Amino acid sequence: MSGLSFAFASPAILAALILLPAIWWLLRLTPPQPRAEVFPPLRILATILKREETPARSPWWLTLLRMLLAALVILAIANPMFNPRTNTLSGSGPLVLMIDNSWASVSDWERRVRTADALIDDADAKGIPVSIVFTAEQGNDATPGAATAARDKLHAMNPRPLVPDRQRAADAVKAALNGKPGTIAFISDGIESKDKDDIVSRLAALQPSELRLIEGDGSDILAITGAANASKDMTVTATRLNGANPLRLGLTAQDSQGRPIAAGSLTFAGGQTVATGSIAAPFEMRNDFARIGIDRNASAGSVYLLDDGFRRRRVALLSGQAADEFQPILSPLYYIQRALQPYADLIQPNSADLAKSIPELLAGNPSVIIMADVGRLPQESYAPLQRWIQNGGTLVRFAGPRLAAAPADDPLVPVTLRQGERTFGGALSWAEPQPLADFPSFGPFAGMPKTINVLVKRQVLAEPTPDLAERTWASLADGTPLVTEKQMQAGRIVLFHVSAEPQWSDLPISGDFVEMLRRIVQLSRSGGVTSTQGTAKATEAMPPYRLLTAKGVLTSEIGSARPLEPNSKETAIANFDNPPGLYGSEEGFTALNVLPRGAELKPLDASAAGTVAREGLIGGEAWSAKPILFTLAFLILLADSLIVLFMNGAFPRLGSSTKTIAGGAAMLMLAVSVATFLHPASALADDSKPGDDTIYSRLDKTHLAYVVTGESDVDHVSERGLAGLSDYLTYRTTLEPGPPVGLDPAKDELAFYPLIYWPISATAPMPSNDAINRIDAYMRNGGTVLFDTRDALDTMGDTSTPSPNGQRLQQILANLDIPPLEPVPAGHVLTKSFYLLSSFPGRYADSPLWIEARQDTRRDGNAVASSDGVTPIMITGNDFAGAWAVDDNGAPLLPTVPPDETQREYAYRTGVNIMMYMLTGNYKSDQVHIPDILQRLGQ
């Protein structure tokens, strides 16, 4: 519409202007009240003869101001309109209103309603029936009816967070019309709802007398179509409809509570409709993002929901041996922690007792449990772990000496393992270490580049099975599996056939190790997994949890939304049955956004539809002066009130009254914290527990400990043997141990003792599972148990059949996670920790002393087995305590076999070396001691 036109929406109201003279006359006859003044006594006497005066009428300028107020109110009620619309509807048929109430219509929905309201008023004025349909509604009754019913339907409708289905609405219109429509007014959001959207042509095919396409300018239509959690920031992709001008947008990331926790920006260049921005934040914070929104743009398209794939996982770590604080890079968990710390919440148990630590970790609902070289587990731990995996947990295991020595029928291993380990570079083995092969096209490592400079020197081998290739996620160049996997209902077990430290391969110190672990963790269920819930199915439908409104607000009202059916082949798209929102539960959900990933907003093309009248929404060219007039009237009313108050002397009285506000603010400063001084110090509670005095008495000195078997003669020899060794240590070394301590492993605290001597007796009661679990935890924490079967004399004749004591030891060790064992080799630290020894006799001299096998004996003669340099287990049959035992006078209790005091002396030296090895670890393997050792050897 050209030029500027002016009209009144209700011109009949202007007749009230003839009342202005009457209003003038009434205001003149209604003067303001006289002002009252209080005079001093002398002033009263001076003016006592004056008569009281009252104004006869109000001032002319005040009357004129009130007349202007009345005129503005009358003009506002008449509703003056600039550029008013004209009724141009065709009277040859009903008015058809097709309205886009999609997510893109939120920003100017009120203008759309006013536009449709005006068209309905035009139809009502001409007596034309109205048919109204909405494109974001699943069902539409397009039957033409009265204008009143259409207006009620219009005002009851709201935008939906959906892409419009215009074809459905057009079909409803076509089916409801008996003849040709008069005017079809398509109030569109201006966006193509699909590729090559021909809705305008379809409406033109109905042959209306007039076809109108009514649109906004599209400047506020924006949508986020993707977000990626990159290594340094969160990248956000957005699209807009109107790309004429440059535009800079603010981005805000919110957590699950709706609190903003990070901000970024996104910039569109002129002519650009797709742009990428970023939100810089630490990875820990980015994993807490629940949604990303565009600032000052409240629509479902400007919000991007993030599901569980973006959240941090809780990963529990377990190790087969204790971590060494002084040599952390030798710890099995060191490289795993460094790899996953930026990407996951890592938790470790408070206890090394697996019977207690595994239930403790499962109670925390972890998504992943990683075991580094854990062989045997307590028997009672297998069932809850299997339930946890079946409910969706991911168990990741790393090989090592303990796993290589574990039974082949372990249910928590994805493939059947060959006993022992495969070594490269040694006798009867492959000629050289093997590199990694290309990653297969399936599995989480698909797409990763081929690893270079990674060699595998040792691994555990899998037995060939028909499905081994399908379970292999990574392999070596010769085809042997490196990473295997097994599904267990909703969860999985993953095995790395190498250790988690660089002793077996270079993989833990490579960047591929970080990416491989990150991808495996991302496969897990992020909401956590419990071991008590029912078995979950990966293919079950997810019910609606929180749905997105058209204004971008999450609500718990799910209406008629149906559960979301998972489809591994196609990405879910928001529709009438599955509106955008979160599907699942509080423990885990999937996000469904308005637009699919990578979508682009394109303008609706109406060029192929023939003659189409295009116009804008009401509010761009037509506007009302009513709000302005009412605002001016209110300001004049406010000014009139202030003038009247001033004329009546309200402000002087107000000024004098302020002098009465003087004091009442100093009475709130009372002290209320005196009660704490009323409690005497003697009333403090005693937090000590029974047995604390005994514990305190054992902390002042190092004590040797032995396991109480319940047999008095065996326990007496153990106590007197450790007492004799303690006296010898006091005499020969600077160590002055305290009295030996008898222990019940099921009840007593074991952490105070560097060495526990356990004499094995076949006639003693079998230790309980609790006792064995606590011994296992003690060994994992760095303690050492010396098992002495005392049967070297009984097995001298027949070594094929173990003695009764040996059989009892086998029963005990069957429930312990012990590493591979070997006799003490030449050059081991035990041979030189204090004395230079070549054998380790006790009361007998024919049984070897077994310790943890070293992992690389061919390359380093001083190599140690565990990260702290101390073997967690020793086994002998030489009856050490029998050789050390003395009576109260210091005389030996038992003779050596054969009787030889030199053998007893070497037995004592064996005990000294064992204790020094316990207390100093691999200290004597340092090169600084080599000259002294060679001098002692005469070399």
Side-chain angles (χ1 to χ4, degrees), residues 65-66 68-69 72-73 627-643:
L65 186 65
R66 292 173 176 175
L68 180 60
L69 172 62
L72 289 175
V73 171
I628 298 177
L629 295 177
F630 272 126
T631 302
L632 292 175
F634 175 76
L635 294 176
I636 293 176
L637 177 62
L638 183 62
D640 180 85
S641 302
L642 293 175
I643 290 172

Side-chain angles (χ1 to χ4, degrees), residues 353 745-746 758 766-779 811-817:
D353 185 352
W758 192 332
M766 180 70 182
S768 64
N769 289 334
D770 189 25
I772 293 177
N773 291 336
R774 298 194 67 199
I775 285 291
D776 189 36
Y778 167 78
M779 295 166 63
Q811 296 174 2
I812 295 175
L813 296 183
N815 297 320
L816 290 175
D817 184 18

